[in-house]
Every structure is written in C-alpha cells, then in structure tokens.
PDB file of all heavy atoms in Angstrom:
ATOM      1  N   PRO A   1      77.349  79.510  86.157  1.00  0.00           N
ATOM      2  CA  PRO A   1      76.571  80.721  85.864  1.00  0.00           C
ATOM      3  C   PRO A   1      75.964  81.377  87.103  1.00  0.00           C
ATOM      4  O   PRO A   1      75.857  82.609  87.146  1.00  0.00           O
ATOM      5  CB  PRO A   1      75.490  80.209  84.909  1.00  0.00           C
ATOM      6  CG  PRO A   1      76.132  79.048  84.209  1.00  0.00           C
ATOM      7  CD  PRO A   1      76.966  78.391  85.267  1.00  0.00           C
ATOM      8  N   PHE A   2      75.573  80.584  88.119  1.00  0.00           N
ATOM      9  CA  PHE A   2      74.976  81.238  89.289  1.00  0.00           C
ATOM     10  C   PHE A   2      76.015  82.074  90.035  1.00  0.00           C
ATOM     11  O   PHE A   2      75.709  83.155  90.553  1.00  0.00           O
ATOM     12  CB  PHE A   2      74.284  80.208  90.190  1.00  0.00           C
ATOM     13  CG  PHE A   2      75.053  79.751  91.386  1.00  0.00           C
ATOM     14  CD1 PHE A   2      74.852  80.341  92.618  1.00  0.00           C
ATOM     15  CD2 PHE A   2      75.963  78.707  91.288  1.00  0.00           C
ATOM     16  CE1 PHE A   2      75.546  79.904  93.736  1.00  0.00           C
ATOM     17  CE2 PHE A   2      76.654  78.262  92.400  1.00  0.00           C
ATOM     18  CZ  PHE A   2      76.454  78.866  93.631  1.00  0.00           C
ATOM     19  N   LEU A   3      77.258  81.621  90.079  1.00  0.00           N
ATOM     20  CA  LEU A   3      78.321  82.421  90.690  1.00  0.00           C
ATOM     21  C   LEU A   3      78.639  83.647  89.835  1.00  0.00           C
ATOM     22  O   LEU A   3      78.896  84.732  90.357  1.00  0.00           O
ATOM     23  CB  LEU A   3      79.583  81.571  90.867  1.00  0.00           C
ATOM     24  CG  LEU A   3      79.740  80.827  92.190  1.00  0.00           C
ATOM     25  CD1 LEU A   3      81.003  79.972  92.174  1.00  0.00           C
ATOM     26  CD2 LEU A   3      79.796  81.799  93.350  1.00  0.00           C
ATOM     27  N   THR A   4      78.616  83.459  88.517  1.00  0.00           N
ATOM     28  CA  THR A   4      78.832  84.586  87.613  1.00  0.00           C
ATOM     29  C   THR A   4      77.768  85.655  87.841  1.00  0.00           C
ATOM     30  O   THR A   4      78.053  86.856  87.803  1.00  0.00           O
ATOM     31  CB  THR A   4      78.804  84.107  86.154  1.00  0.00           C
ATOM     32  OG1 THR A   4      79.812  83.097  85.966  1.00  0.00           O
ATOM     33  CG2 THR A   4      79.066  85.255  85.193  1.00  0.00           C
ATOM     34  N   GLY A   5      76.523  85.234  88.110  1.00  0.00           N
ATOM     35  CA  GLY A   5      75.450  86.186  88.379  1.00  0.00           C
ATOM     36  C   GLY A   5      75.673  86.968  89.656  1.00  0.00           C
ATOM     37  O   GLY A   5      75.404  88.176  89.717  1.00  0.00           O
ATOM     38  N   TRP A   6      76.154  86.300  90.701  1.00  0.00           N
ATOM     39  CA  TRP A   6      76.452  87.015  91.950  1.00  0.00           C
ATOM     40  C   TRP A   6      77.597  88.006  91.744  1.00  0.00           C
ATOM     41  O   TRP A   6      77.568  89.130  92.257  1.00  0.00           O
ATOM     42  CB  TRP A   6      76.803  86.026  93.060  1.00  0.00           C
ATOM     43  CG  TRP A   6      75.601  85.407  93.671  1.00  0.00           C
ATOM     44  CD1 TRP A   6      75.113  84.141  93.469  1.00  0.00           C
ATOM     45  CD2 TRP A   6      74.689  86.022  94.588  1.00  0.00           C
ATOM     46  NE1 TRP A   6      73.969  83.943  94.202  1.00  0.00           N
ATOM     47  CE2 TRP A   6      73.683  85.073  94.889  1.00  0.00           C
ATOM     48  CE3 TRP A   6      74.624  87.284  95.175  1.00  0.00           C
ATOM     49  CZ2 TRP A   6      72.640  85.348  95.763  1.00  0.00           C
ATOM     50  CZ3 TRP A   6      73.578  87.567  96.047  1.00  0.00           C
ATOM     51  CH2 TRP A   6      72.603  86.608  96.328  1.00  0.00           C
ATOM     52  N   LEU A   7      78.618  87.585  90.990  1.00  0.00           N
ATOM     53  CA  LEU A   7      79.720  88.499  90.715  1.00  0.00           C
ATOM     54  C   LEU A   7      79.224  89.699  89.909  1.00  0.00           C
ATOM     55  O   LEU A   7      79.583  90.844  90.206  1.00  0.00           O
ATOM     56  CB  LEU A   7      80.834  87.776  89.959  1.00  0.00           C
ATOM     57  CG  LEU A   7      82.001  88.662  89.507  1.00  0.00           C
ATOM     58  CD1 LEU A   7      82.653  89.366  90.684  1.00  0.00           C
ATOM     59  CD2 LEU A   7      83.025  87.842  88.729  1.00  0.00           C
ATOM     60  N   ALA A   8      78.390  89.465  88.886  1.00  0.00           N
ATOM     61  CA  ALA A   8      77.852  90.572  88.092  1.00  0.00           C
ATOM     62  C   ALA A   8      77.088  91.544  88.986  1.00  0.00           C
ATOM     63  O   ALA A   8      77.225  92.771  88.852  1.00  0.00           O
ATOM     64  CB  ALA A   8      76.951  90.037  86.989  1.00  0.00           C
ATOM     65  N   THR A   9      76.277  91.017  89.907  1.00  0.00           N
ATOM     66  CA  THR A   9      75.517  91.872  90.816  1.00  0.00           C
ATOM     67  C   THR A   9      76.446  92.697  91.688  1.00  0.00           C
ATOM     68  O   THR A   9      76.245  93.911  91.873  1.00  0.00           O
ATOM     69  CB  THR A   9      74.583  91.027  91.694  1.00  0.00           C
ATOM     70  OG1 THR A   9      73.768  90.199  90.860  1.00  0.00           O
ATOM     71  CG2 THR A   9      73.698  91.902  92.562  1.00  0.00           C
ATOM     72  N   ALA A  10      77.475  92.063  92.244  1.00  0.00           N
ATOM     73  CA  ALA A  10      78.434  92.788  93.080  1.00  0.00           C
ATOM     74  C   ALA A  10      79.161  93.871  92.285  1.00  0.00           C
ATOM     75  O   ALA A  10      79.401  94.973  92.794  1.00  0.00           O
ATOM     76  CB  ALA A  10      79.436  91.807  93.685  1.00  0.00           C
ATOM     77  N   LEU A  11      79.499  93.572  91.033  1.00  0.00           N
ATOM     78  CA  LEU A  11      80.176  94.558  90.194  1.00  0.00           C
ATOM     79  C   LEU A  11      79.271  95.756  89.925  1.00  0.00           C
ATOM     80  O   LEU A  11      79.697  96.911  90.026  1.00  0.00           O
ATOM     81  CB  LEU A  11      80.612  93.911  88.878  1.00  0.00           C
ATOM     82  CG  LEU A  11      81.760  92.895  88.985  1.00  0.00           C
ATOM     83  CD1 LEU A  11      81.861  92.057  87.714  1.00  0.00           C
ATOM     84  CD2 LEU A  11      83.084  93.603  89.259  1.00  0.00           C
ATOM     85  N   TYR A  12      78.011  95.492  89.592  1.00  0.00           N
ATOM     86  CA  TYR A  12      77.076  96.602  89.391  1.00  0.00           C
ATOM     87  C   TYR A  12      76.944  97.448  90.649  1.00  0.00           C
ATOM     88  O   TYR A  12      76.944  98.681  90.598  1.00  0.00           O
ATOM     89  CB  TYR A  12      75.698  96.054  89.009  1.00  0.00           C
ATOM     90  CG  TYR A  12      75.502  95.748  87.548  1.00  0.00           C
ATOM     91  CD1 TYR A  12      75.074  94.485  87.130  1.00  0.00           C
ATOM     92  CD2 TYR A  12      75.704  96.729  86.573  1.00  0.00           C
ATOM     93  CE1 TYR A  12      74.865  94.198  85.789  1.00  0.00           C
ATOM     94  CE2 TYR A  12      75.503  96.450  85.226  1.00  0.00           C
ATOM     95  CZ  TYR A  12      75.078  95.193  84.842  1.00  0.00           C
ATOM     96  OH  TYR A  12      74.870  94.919  83.515  1.00  0.00           O
ATOM     97  N   ARG A  13      76.820  96.797  91.796  1.00  0.00           N
ATOM     98  CA  ARG A  13      76.563  97.513  93.042  1.00  0.00           C
ATOM     99  C   ARG A  13      77.761  98.345  93.509  1.00  0.00           C
ATOM    100  O   ARG A  13      77.608  99.262  94.313  1.00  0.00           O
ATOM    101  CB  ARG A  13      76.200  96.516  94.153  1.00  0.00           C
ATOM    102  CG  ARG A  13      74.964  95.684  93.882  1.00  0.00           C
ATOM    103  CD  ARG A  13      73.701  96.484  93.971  1.00  0.00           C
ATOM    104  NE  ARG A  13      73.457  96.998  95.308  1.00  0.00           N
ATOM    105  CZ  ARG A  13      72.386  97.708  95.639  1.00  0.00           C
ATOM    106  NH1 ARG A  13      71.474  97.998  94.730  1.00  0.00           N
ATOM    107  NH2 ARG A  13      72.220  98.130  96.873  1.00  0.00           N
ATOM    108  N   ASN A  14      78.947  98.013  93.002  1.00  0.00           N
ATOM    109  CA  ASN A  14      80.158  98.677  93.488  1.00  0.00           C
ATOM    110  C   ASN A  14      80.860  99.507  92.419  1.00  0.00           C
ATOM    111  O   ASN A  14      82.042  99.815  92.557  1.00  0.00           O
ATOM    112  CB  ASN A  14      81.121  97.636  94.060  1.00  0.00           C
ATOM    113  CG  ASN A  14      80.641  97.069  95.384  1.00  0.00           C
ATOM    114  OD1 ASN A  14      80.924  97.620  96.449  1.00  0.00           O
ATOM    115  ND2 ASN A  14      79.907  95.966  95.333  1.00  0.00           N
ATOM    116  N   GLY A  15      80.143  99.870  91.359  1.00  0.00           N
ATOM    117  CA  GLY A  15      80.695 100.809  90.396  1.00  0.00           C
ATOM    118  C   GLY A  15      81.585 100.212  89.336  1.00  0.00           C
ATOM    119  O   GLY A  15      82.507 100.889  88.860  1.00  0.00           O
ATOM    120  N   PHE A  16      81.298  98.982  88.907  1.00  0.00           N
ATOM    121  CA  PHE A  16      82.044  98.331  87.829  1.00  0.00           C
ATOM    122  C   PHE A  16      81.071  97.926  86.704  1.00  0.00           C
ATOM    123  O   PHE A  16      80.927  96.749  86.387  1.00  0.00           O
ATOM    124  CB  PHE A  16      82.748  97.072  88.339  1.00  0.00           C
ATOM    125  CG  PHE A  16      83.869  97.303  89.308  1.00  0.00           C
ATOM    126  CD1 PHE A  16      83.613  97.578  90.646  1.00  0.00           C
ATOM    127  CD2 PHE A  16      85.189  97.232  88.901  1.00  0.00           C
ATOM    128  CE1 PHE A  16      84.637  97.774  91.549  1.00  0.00           C
ATOM    129  CE2 PHE A  16      86.231  97.425  89.790  1.00  0.00           C
ATOM    130  CZ  PHE A  16      85.962  97.698  91.125  1.00  0.00           C
ATOM    131  N   PRO A  17      80.378  98.868  86.087  1.00  0.00           N
ATOM    132  CA  PRO A  17      79.318  98.489  85.142  1.00  0.00           C
ATOM    133  C   PRO A  17      79.812  97.768  83.898  1.00  0.00           C
ATOM    134  O   PRO A  17      79.110  96.895  83.371  1.00  0.00           O
ATOM    135  CB  PRO A  17      78.665  99.827  84.794  1.00  0.00           C
ATOM    136  CG  PRO A  17      79.729 100.846  85.058  1.00  0.00           C
ATOM    137  CD  PRO A  17      80.495 100.324  86.239  1.00  0.00           C
ATOM    138  N   LEU A  18      80.983  98.125  83.383  1.00  0.00           N
ATOM    139  CA  LEU A  18      81.480  97.462  82.174  1.00  0.00           C
ATOM    140  C   LEU A  18      81.815  96.004  82.440  1.00  0.00           C
ATOM    141  O   LEU A  18      81.472  95.107  81.658  1.00  0.00           O
ATOM    142  CB  LEU A  18      82.712  98.199  81.641  1.00  0.00           C
ATOM    143  CG  LEU A  18      82.451  99.607  81.104  1.00  0.00           C
ATOM    144  CD1 LEU A  18      83.752 100.343  80.895  1.00  0.00           C
ATOM    145  CD2 LEU A  18      81.649  99.543  79.811  1.00  0.00           C
ATOM    146  N   GLN A  19      82.492  95.750  83.569  1.00  0.00           N
ATOM    147  CA  GLN A  19      82.822  94.380  83.922  1.00  0.00           C
ATOM    148  C   GLN A  19      81.563  93.589  84.255  1.00  0.00           C
ATOM    149  O   GLN A  19      81.463  92.398  83.932  1.00  0.00           O
ATOM    150  CB  GLN A  19      83.789  94.364  85.105  1.00  0.00           C
ATOM    151  CG  GLN A  19      85.131  95.049  84.825  1.00  0.00           C
ATOM    152  CD  GLN A  19      85.153  96.530  85.154  1.00  0.00           C
ATOM    153  OE1 GLN A  19      84.146  97.232  85.021  1.00  0.00           O
ATOM    154  NE2 GLN A  19      86.302  97.023  85.595  1.00  0.00           N
ATOM    155  N   ALA A  20      80.600  94.250  84.899  1.00  0.00           N
ATOM    156  CA  ALA A  20      79.331  93.592  85.223  1.00  0.00           C
ATOM    157  C   ALA A  20      78.586  93.196  83.959  1.00  0.00           C
ATOM    158  O   ALA A  20      78.018  92.105  83.860  1.00  0.00           O
ATOM    159  CB  ALA A  20      78.469  94.512  86.078  1.00  0.00           C
ATOM    160  N   GLU A  21      78.565  94.095  82.971  1.00  0.00           N
ATOM    161  CA  GLU A  21      77.874  93.813  81.717  1.00  0.00           C
ATOM    162  C   GLU A  21      78.492  92.604  81.022  1.00  0.00           C
ATOM    163  O   GLU A  21      77.780  91.776  80.437  1.00  0.00           O
ATOM    164  CB  GLU A  21      77.924  95.045  80.817  1.00  0.00           C
ATOM    165  CG  GLU A  21      76.942  95.034  79.660  1.00  0.00           C
ATOM    166  CD  GLU A  21      77.458  94.318  78.432  1.00  0.00           C
ATOM    167  OE1 GLU A  21      78.676  94.057  78.346  1.00  0.00           O
ATOM    168  OE2 GLU A  21      76.639  94.020  77.542  1.00  0.00           O
ATOM    169  N   ALA A  22      79.821  92.472  81.087  1.00  0.00           N
ATOM    170  CA  ALA A  22      80.485  91.328  80.468  1.00  0.00           C
ATOM    171  C   ALA A  22      80.069  90.023  81.140  1.00  0.00           C
ATOM    172  O   ALA A  22      79.806  89.011  80.470  1.00  0.00           O
ATOM    173  CB  ALA A  22      82.004  91.502  80.541  1.00  0.00           C
ATOM    174  N   ALA A  23      79.990  90.033  82.479  1.00  0.00           N
ATOM    175  CA  ALA A  23      79.594  88.828  83.204  1.00  0.00           C
ATOM    176  C   ALA A  23      78.127  88.486  82.941  1.00  0.00           C
ATOM    177  O   ALA A  23      77.776  87.321  82.698  1.00  0.00           O
ATOM    178  CB  ALA A  23      79.835  89.022  84.703  1.00  0.00           C
ATOM    179  N   LEU A  24      77.250  89.495  82.991  1.00  0.00           N
ATOM    180  CA  LEU A  24      75.834  89.256  82.737  1.00  0.00           C
ATOM    181  C   LEU A  24      75.609  88.762  81.310  1.00  0.00           C
ATOM    182  O   LEU A  24      74.837  87.815  81.083  1.00  0.00           O
ATOM    183  CB  LEU A  24      75.041  90.541  82.983  1.00  0.00           C
ATOM    184  CG  LEU A  24      73.558  90.515  82.617  1.00  0.00           C
ATOM    185  CD1 LEU A  24      72.825  89.408  83.353  1.00  0.00           C
ATOM    186  CD2 LEU A  24      72.916  91.876  82.894  1.00  0.00           C
ATOM    187  N   SER A  25      76.267  89.371  80.331  1.00  0.00           N
ATOM    188  CA  SER A  25      76.104  88.947  78.942  1.00  0.00           C
ATOM    189  C   SER A  25      76.547  87.512  78.732  1.00  0.00           C
ATOM    190  O   SER A  25      75.949  86.786  77.925  1.00  0.00           O
ATOM    191  CB  SER A  25      76.898  89.881  78.017  1.00  0.00           C
ATOM    192  OG  SER A  25      76.364  91.185  78.030  1.00  0.00           O
ATOM    193  N   ALA A  26      77.587  87.083  79.449  1.00  0.00           N
ATOM    194  CA  ALA A  26      78.021  85.688  79.353  1.00  0.00           C
ATOM    195  C   ALA A  26      76.900  84.747  79.766  1.00  0.00           C
ATOM    196  O   ALA A  26      76.636  83.728  79.103  1.00  0.00           O
ATOM    197  CB  ALA A  26      79.258  85.464  80.213  1.00  0.00           C
ATOM    198  N   ASN A  27      76.213  85.073  80.860  1.00  0.00           N
ATOM    199  CA  ASN A  27      75.090  84.241  81.306  1.00  0.00           C
ATOM    200  C   ASN A  27      73.926  84.288  80.328  1.00  0.00           C
ATOM    201  O   ASN A  27      73.288  83.271  80.045  1.00  0.00           O
ATOM    202  CB  ASN A  27      74.620  84.693  82.691  1.00  0.00           C
ATOM    203  CG  ASN A  27      75.416  84.057  83.812  1.00  0.00           C
ATOM    204  OD1 ASN A  27      76.272  83.206  83.583  1.00  0.00           O
ATOM    205  ND2 ASN A  27      75.149  84.463  85.033  1.00  0.00           N
ATOM    206  N   VAL A  28      73.618  85.467  79.812  1.00  0.00           N
ATOM    207  CA  VAL A  28      72.505  85.594  78.872  1.00  0.00           C
ATOM    208  C   VAL A  28      72.751  84.740  77.632  1.00  0.00           C
ATOM    209  O   VAL A  28      71.835  84.074  77.125  1.00  0.00           O
ATOM    210  CB  VAL A  28      72.296  87.071  78.495  1.00  0.00           C
ATOM    211  CG1 VAL A  28      71.309  87.201  77.338  1.00  0.00           C
ATOM    212  CG2 VAL A  28      71.793  87.864  79.700  1.00  0.00           C
ATOM    213  N   ARG A  29      73.979  84.739  77.123  1.00  0.00           N
ATOM    214  CA  ARG A  29      74.286  83.942  75.928  1.00  0.00           C
ATOM    215  C   ARG A  29      74.027  82.463  76.158  1.00  0.00           C
ATOM    216  O   ARG A  29      73.611  81.742  75.241  1.00  0.00           O
ATOM    217  CB  ARG A  29      75.738  84.167  75.499  1.00  0.00           C
ATOM    218  CG  ARG A  29      75.999  85.503  74.854  1.00  0.00           C
ATOM    219  CD  ARG A  29      77.349  85.527  74.161  1.00  0.00           C
ATOM    220  NE  ARG A  29      78.438  85.194  75.069  1.00  0.00           N
ATOM    221  CZ  ARG A  29      79.092  86.076  75.804  1.00  0.00           C
ATOM    222  NH1 ARG A  29      78.751  87.357  75.752  1.00  0.00           N
ATOM    223  NH2 ARG A  29      80.066  85.716  76.604  1.00  0.00           N
ATOM    224  N   HIS A  30      74.273  81.976  77.381  1.00  0.00           N
ATOM    225  CA  HIS A  30      74.058  80.554  77.659  1.00  0.00           C
ATOM    226  C   HIS A  30      72.597  80.154  77.475  1.00  0.00           C
ATOM    227  O   HIS A  30      72.304  78.984  77.215  1.00  0.00           O
ATOM    228  CB  HIS A  30      74.501  80.223  79.090  1.00  0.00           C
ATOM    229  CG  HIS A  30      75.981  80.311  79.294  1.00  0.00           C
ATOM    230  ND1 HIS A  30      76.894  79.843  78.387  1.00  0.00           N
ATOM    231  CD2 HIS A  30      76.720  80.801  80.335  1.00  0.00           C
ATOM    232  CE1 HIS A  30      78.125  80.048  78.827  1.00  0.00           C
ATOM    233  NE2 HIS A  30      78.046  80.634  80.015  1.00  0.00           N
ATOM    234  N   THR A  31      71.682  81.115  77.608  1.00  0.00           N
ATOM    235  CA  THR A  31      70.260  80.811  77.430  1.00  0.00           C
ATOM    236  C   THR A  31      69.953  80.376  75.997  1.00  0.00           C
ATOM    237  O   THR A  31      68.970  79.690  75.747  1.00  0.00           O
ATOM    238  CB  THR A  31      69.419  82.053  77.773  1.00  0.00           C
ATOM    239  OG1 THR A  31      69.837  82.568  79.037  1.00  0.00           O
ATOM    240  CG2 THR A  31      67.935  81.731  77.845  1.00  0.00           C
ATOM    241  N   PHE A  32      70.798  80.761  75.060  1.00  0.00           N
ATOM    242  CA  PHE A  32      70.535  80.511  73.642  1.00  0.00           C
ATOM    243  C   PHE A  32      71.545  79.568  72.998  1.00  0.00           C
ATOM    244  O   PHE A  32      71.366  79.170  71.849  1.00  0.00           O
ATOM    245  CB  PHE A  32      70.550  81.842  72.884  1.00  0.00           C
ATOM    246  CG  PHE A  32      69.581  82.851  73.431  1.00  0.00           C
ATOM    247  CD1 PHE A  32      69.989  83.805  74.344  1.00  0.00           C
ATOM    248  CD2 PHE A  32      68.246  82.836  73.053  1.00  0.00           C
ATOM    249  CE1 PHE A  32      69.098  84.735  74.856  1.00  0.00           C
ATOM    250  CE2 PHE A  32      67.351  83.762  73.561  1.00  0.00           C
ATOM    251  CZ  PHE A  32      67.777  84.709  74.469  1.00  0.00           C
ATOM    252  N   GLU A  33      72.602  79.196  73.708  1.00  0.00           N
ATOM    253  CA  GLU A  33      73.674  78.435  73.080  1.00  0.00           C
ATOM    254  C   GLU A  33      73.391  76.945  73.014  1.00  0.00           C
ATOM    255  O   GLU A  33      73.822  76.270  72.073  1.00  0.00           O
ATOM    256  CB  GLU A  33      74.994  78.655  73.845  1.00  0.00           C
ATOM    257  CG  GLU A  33      75.603  80.017  73.627  1.00  0.00           C
ATOM    258  CD  GLU A  33      76.870  80.219  74.419  1.00  0.00           C
ATOM    259  OE1 GLU A  33      77.042  79.570  75.468  1.00  0.00           O
ATOM    260  OE2 GLU A  33      77.696  81.025  73.988  1.00  0.00           O
ATOM    261  N   ASN A  34      72.728  76.405  74.005  1.00  0.00           N
ATOM    262  CA  ASN A  34      72.571  74.954  74.088  1.00  0.00           C
ATOM    263  C   ASN A  34      71.084  74.602  74.058  1.00  0.00           C
ATOM    264  O   ASN A  34      70.466  74.629  73.000  1.00  0.00           O
ATOM    265  CB  ASN A  34      73.282  74.439  75.349  1.00  0.00           C
ATOM    266  CG  ASN A  34      74.764  74.792  75.335  1.00  0.00           C
ATOM    267  OD1 ASN A  34      75.490  74.366  74.435  1.00  0.00           O
ATOM    268  ND2 ASN A  34      75.216  75.588  76.287  1.00  0.00           N
ATOM    269  N   GLY A  35      70.463  74.280  75.205  1.00  0.00           N
ATOM    270  CA  GLY A  35      69.023  74.092  75.235  1.00  0.00           C
ATOM    271  C   GLY A  35      68.352  75.441  75.327  1.00  0.00           C
ATOM    272  O   GLY A  35      68.540  76.172  76.300  1.00  0.00           O
TER     273      GLY A  35
END
C-alpha cells in the first residue's frame, strides 16, 4: 500500500486523475477490510 500511495500521488501530479483515484481507493478500502 505505501508504494500504491506513491504511485497514486505521481498519477495525480501528472494528469492521470482516474488512474490515481483507482489506486487511492484501493488503499482506502484496506482500512476497512481487515483490522
């Protein structure tokens, strides 16, 4: 997830908002899936 977060940030910063949202949402879901 920490690498996914860096990729999401890079995508946002370089004009890939849809792909960034997919990566960020993947990390957000992990907050609720397990512990």
Side-chain angles (χ1 to χ4, degrees):
F2 99 96
L3 269 177
T4 302
W6 280 104
L7 175 58
T9 306
L11 290 165
Y12 276 126
R13 300 289 296 182
N14 288 272
F16 292 79
L18 293 168
Q19 298 90 327
E21 196 274 345
L24 174 57
S25 294
N27 275 355
V28 170
R29 286 194 304 271
H30 291 318
T31 310
F32 304 95
E33 287 178 334
N34 301 299

